[in-house]
Amino acid sequence: MNRIDCLFERASSIGVAIALMFMAMGLVVIGVTVLPVLGLFLAIPLFMAASAFFFAPRSKECTIY
């Protein structure tokens, strides 16, 4: 793996997590106002996916020993 690939690994992981959080928050708003069951039912997996991206470990190739 190139060194440049490791440069953006954490930033891209956080960027994806933030995008998923915005989508989940949008579904929560929709769930509270328009479609109570469906919006909240779809928001829960997005929150879990966002937390997985927030707390994702770095790859072994990018770890400095």
Side-chain angles (χ1 to χ4, degrees), residues 6-16:
C6 295
L7 184 64
F8 298 111
E9 179 184 9
R10 185 72 182 146
S12 64
S13 178
I14 290 175
V16 168

Side-chain angles (χ1 to χ4, degrees), residues 15-30 39 42-43 46-47:
V16 168
I18 290 172
L20 287 172
M21 287 295 283
F22 277 122
M23 286 185 247
M25 293 302 280
L27 282 173
V28 166
V29 169
I30 289 172
L42 293 175
L46 280 178
F47 277 122

Side-chain angles (χ1 to χ4, degrees), residues 1-2 4 9-10 14 17 23 29-31 35 37-38 44 46 48 50 52-54 56 59 62 65:
M1 184 175 245
N2 293 339
I4 194 74
E9 179 184 9
R10 185 72 182 146
I14 290 175
M23 286 185 247
V29 169
I30 289 172
L35 302 168
V37 177
L38 185 63
I44 292 170
L46 280 178
M48 289 190 289
F53 275 101
F54 268 127
S59 64
C62 295
Y65 295 105

